[in-house]
Structures are given as C-alpha cells and as structure tokens.
Amino acid sequence: MTEQVLTSVPDVDGGNTLFDWFRHMRDERPVWFDRGQYHVFRYDDVHRVITDPAVFSNDSSRVFEQLKPITGGNINSMDPPEHRRLRGLANTAFTPRVVARLESRIREVTTELLDRVDGDAFDLVESLTHPLPVIVIAELLGVPSSDADLFRVWVDQLTDLQGVIDPGADDFLEVFDAATRDMNQYLLEHCRARRTDPKEDLITSLVHAEVDGSRLTEDELVKFTSILFHTGHLTTTLMLGNAVQALDAWTDAFAELRADRSLIPNALEEVMRYRSPFTTVSRVSTRDVEVAGHVIPANSMVTPWVISANHDERRFVEPERFDIRRDTSHVAFGHGIHFCLGAPLARLEGRVALNVLFDRFKELRVDPNADIRYHPSGGMYGARNLPVLARRA
C-alpha cells in the first residue's frame, strides 16, 4: 500500500479497500494525525479511548466552544458525574422487560411489511430494514408511525452531514440547525402535549420522570427523544442490511444459519464485528496522554475507529473471515458508560427479522447487477439501498 492512500480515508466500497487501509494503519500508523484529529486504529487502544471518560471526554465543545448549544444537555456528550443523571433514565427505556414485550409486535410488523412486497425482486432497505425499526421505535416513543416518510427525510438530512462539514466551521451551527430544526420542533410539540395529555408511551414517561429530584428541561427532552429515535432505528437498519450482504458473500455460513436458527443471535454479533454499522466515535483528550507510543496533546480531537478495532488481528483470529460461531467481543456497540442505548432493541429486531425472512424465502441473495450506494466511511457503514432477489418458500 502506497503513502498516497494516507492522505484520506477510503470511501466505503463494500469492504476491500477500506479494510486493507485499516490493516495498513494498524501496522504502520496506529495513531495518525490528520486534519486536526488523532485517529486510533488498534483494538486495545480504541477500547481504552472509549472506556476512560476521565482522559477521553465525550464533550466536543471542549475543543469547539461553538458546539455548546448542541452538546449541552445531550447525553451523548456528557461525562460523569452529569452523565449518570440521564443514563439511569435512558436505561429504563430499553430494559430487558420493555424490549421483550416488543417481540410479538416486531414479528407482526415484519410480516406486514413483507406481505407488501410485490414480486421476488425488491429493495430490502425500502421494504424492510428502514421501515421496521422506524415503526417500532415510533410506537414505543408514542409518535405516529405514519410519519415514517418525514422521519426518513430528517434522518437523511442529519446523516448526510457526517464527514462532510467540519464542526469547527463558522457556519456549522447554522447548517446543523437547518438539518435538525423540523424534527426537533416535531418532537417538542409531542413532549409539550404529554404534559397535559399523558399517554401510555415512552415520551410521557420521560416528560413526567424525575431525575435527582427534578424533571428534564424541554431542551433535554428533545435531545433525549431524538437520540432514542436515532439509536432505536439506525443500528437495526444498518445491521440487517449488513447481515444479508455478509451472508450473501459467505454462502456456507448462510446455509449453516438456515439449518440451525439458534445461531442467529451469535451470527448477528459477528455481523456487528465484521461490518460494524458505525465506524467511529469522537472523544477529546483532557490531558496529554500517550497512546501506542504517540503523545496526544490535551484538548485534541480523538477519533477511535471501532470498525478497525473489530478487524484487529491482535484481537481476532482471521478477522476477515465471517464466522457465525465466533466467540466475539466486538466494540461495535461501544463499551462502558456510553454503550449503545439501542443495542438490546437492535438485537431483538435483528433476530426476529431474520427468522421471518428465512420463513418467507427459500433463497435470498443480493442482486449481483445492483448499483449499491453506501454511506460515507467516516460515520456509518452500510448500504443506502439493497436490491435483492428472492425465491418464496
């Protein structure tokens, strides 16, 4: 691999160039300074960065003060002890009991969505992997799932910003506000309505919940429900698409999984490792710190590549092999206090959806002639569209 590839992160191409580049960086430049950020690639280093909030803060406004309107009151930007205030409340949203109660509804929605599929060639993202988690999280929150088209527009507007606009740019707040204004106003109206007209839904629970003797402010409520909505559906959308692509490429694993459905939960964990839906997270160094022999100065942006960590040969045997029986310890959902809020729901939705797909179709493969569009590599990993060919059972 030449030095030329080091000038930028390769675009997602389905895996080859991107993962070759990660391997090179882990071997040659485990800590790489580029465009104002320190990139970290090895498993042990990534794990350290994402689990030590005292040294690696989640609050990017430490570097970019203009981001305080975004990071303030945002659980994803909080460090202890403030983080504990909202995390306890967040954990109540996705308790095992709450998630388990959704299983029959997830199966029902999956079945209804596949019933609408006309013919044996369809786009899996449009038909299933996007609408399924949107409907489920919308119903859980208490907003109309009939607004799914609006949600898609808002999510696309926000995700399109990743890797495109510099958070230090003078117009970042203006651009970010334009991308989030409509959705935030929509959520705010629902939060306000629940104060006087409570319902049996999650927004009502959040509006009336007390944390340390006080209730959430409107700004905290909007940010919190927005995070729950995003984490409650994006992970599943990407994971299911990545699962079908991985199984399509590794046909022996696909056949083994069909023969033994009990392997589905572990297979989904391997999907998360092999094709992690979220490629990076962001941290800020709170002091000078040495990582892999390199000193990262205080108040520096640090970008741990979780998808690279999940392919580190130092941690995983034959990491480029998709092994549905692997005993994996991936960091795709993060680790520690910022472990993904939506992980339990994503796991359940993935398990139910794959079972229904296997029941419905004898064969399911990615259309070899499809023009698949991917998310940019600097944020999410997965297909924006996924045309498939199927043969019904």
Side-chain angles (χ1 to χ4, degrees):
M1 180 163 293
T2 67
E3 286 292 303
Q4 184 178 2
V5 302
L6 298 176
T7 60
S8 63
V9 179
D11 290 333
V12 168
D13 64 343
N16 296 334
T17 301
L18 185 67
F19 289 104
D20 287 346
W21 185 77
F22 284 145
R23 186 183 305 109
H24 175 80
M25 299 305 280
R26 287 192 299 269
D27 291 342
E28 303 297 331
R29 295 193 178 185
V31 176
W32 176 50
F33 182 74
D34 178 63
R35 302 178 187 179
Q37 302 179 50
Y38 287 85
H39 299 261
V40 179
F41 297 96
R42 292 177 181 170
Y43 182 95
D44 287 346
D45 299 327
V46 167
H47 188 274
R48 175 189 173 194
V49 171
I50 66 177
T51 56
D52 189 354
V55 179
F56 300 98
S57 169
N58 257 56
D59 186 1
S60 55
S61 69
R62 285 173 173 264
V63 174
F64 303 111
E65 189 173 353
Q66 69 271 27
L67 297 186
K68 284 187 177 180
I70 298 173
T71 61
N74 187 324
I75 189 174
N76 282 347
S77 301
M78 290 180 176
D79 298 316
E82 293 81 4
H83 177 267
R84 297 190 189 97
R85 173 174 173 263
L86 289 186
R87 184 69 195 210
L89 184 59
N91 288 339
T92 66
F94 293 113
T95 63
R97 179 178 297 180
V98 169
V99 172
R101 287 203 303 261
L102 298 172
E103 181 167 353
S104 61
R105 179 56 179 156
I106 293 169
R107 183 174 294 106
E108 180 180 312
V109 173
T110 303
T111 301
E112 290 173 355
L113 289 170
L114 291 178
D115 284 344
R116 300 173 191 172
V117 171
D118 184 17
D120 295 330
F122 58 96
D123 188 315
L124 192 71
V125 173
E126 293 295 329
S127 299
L128 179 65
T129 70
H130 170 70
L132 168 63
V134 166
I135 291 170
V136 172
I137 192 62
E139 291 181 352
L140 183 62
L141 285 170
V143 298
S145 57
S146 57
D147 289 340
D149 289 342
L150 284 176
F151 302 152
R152 182 65 177 271
V153 171
W154 293 333
V155 170
D156 285 348
Q157 287 175 343
L158 188 57
T159 56
D160 285 346
L161 294 182
Q162 298 193 34
V164 176
I165 183 169
D166 180 359
D170 292 339
D171 63 343
F172 180 83
L173 279 181
E174 180 181 346
V175 174
F176 185 85
D177 181 66
T180 58
R181 185 186 304 116
D182 290 344
M183 183 171 185
N184 287 346
Q185 183 61 37
Y186 175 92
L187 292 172
L188 177 60
E189 291 172 1
H190 279 279
C191 290
R192 286 175 172 171
R194 296 308 190 280
R195 291 197 186 278
T196 55
D197 184 21
K199 301 181 183 300
E200 294 293 326
D201 57 39
L202 186 53
I203 289 182
T204 297
S205 298
L206 294 173
V207 166
H208 294 277
E210 288 194 2
V211 184
D212 295 338
S214 62
R215 292 183 177 178
L216 300 182
T217 66
E218 286 190 341
D219 183 57
E220 288 174 330
L221 281 167
V222 169
K223 288 174 179 175
F224 199 60
T225 52
S226 175
I227 289 168
L228 291 177
F229 178 78
H230 282 87
T231 59
H233 93 273
L234 274 177
T235 304
T236 300
T237 296
L238 295 167
M239 179 184 68
L240 279 173
N242 290 347
V244 170
Q245 285 188 289
L247 291 169
D248 181 71
W250 295 82
T251 54
D252 289 348
F254 206 168
E256 185 177 12
L257 197 59
R258 280 186 175 277
D260 185 357
R261 303 276 188 93
S262 70
L263 293 172
I264 286 179
N266 203 71
L268 288 171
E269 298 303 314
E270 176 67 347
V271 170
M272 294 296 293
R273 182 201 69 83
Y274 186 70
R275 292 292 182 261
S276 310
F278 298 99
T279 58
T280 66
V281 293
S282 294
R283 298 290 189 269
V284 178
S285 56
T286 61
R287 59 173 173 80
D288 291 357
V289 58
E290 185 175 310
V291 178
H294 299 262
V295 175
I296 298 177
N299 296 316
S300 297
M301 290 299 302
V302 182
T303 301
W305 284 83
V306 295
I307 194 169
S308 172
N310 286 334
H311 284 256
D312 191 349
E313 302 84 352
R314 298 156 189 81
R315 181 73 180 190
F316 302 101
V317 177
E318 297 182 80
E320 303 310 322
R321 178 169 58 89
F322 181 70
D323 181 1
I324 63 174
R325 294 181 179 272
R326 186 188 299 273
D327 182 12
T328 182
S329 54
H330 64 77
V331 289
F333 285 126
H335 207 276
I337 66 170
H338 287 286
F339 185 79
C340 177
L341 289 172
L345 181 57
R347 285 168 166 152
L348 176 61
E349 289 173 328
R351 174 173 61 81
V352 172
L354 282 183
N355 269 295
V356 175
L357 280 169
F358 290 170
D359 289 341
R360 181 65 59 98
F361 302 110
K362 288 183 178 179
E363 293 181 9
L364 182 68
R365 61 191 180 93
V366 178
D367 185 344
N369 299 314
D371 180 17
I372 299 175
R373 296 173 287 106
Y374 289 91
H375 291 283
S377 58
M380 297 182 294
Y381 185 96
R384 289 177 176 268
N385 65 310
L386 192 59
V388 295
L389 304 175
R391 186 161 65 89
R392 297 175 185 272

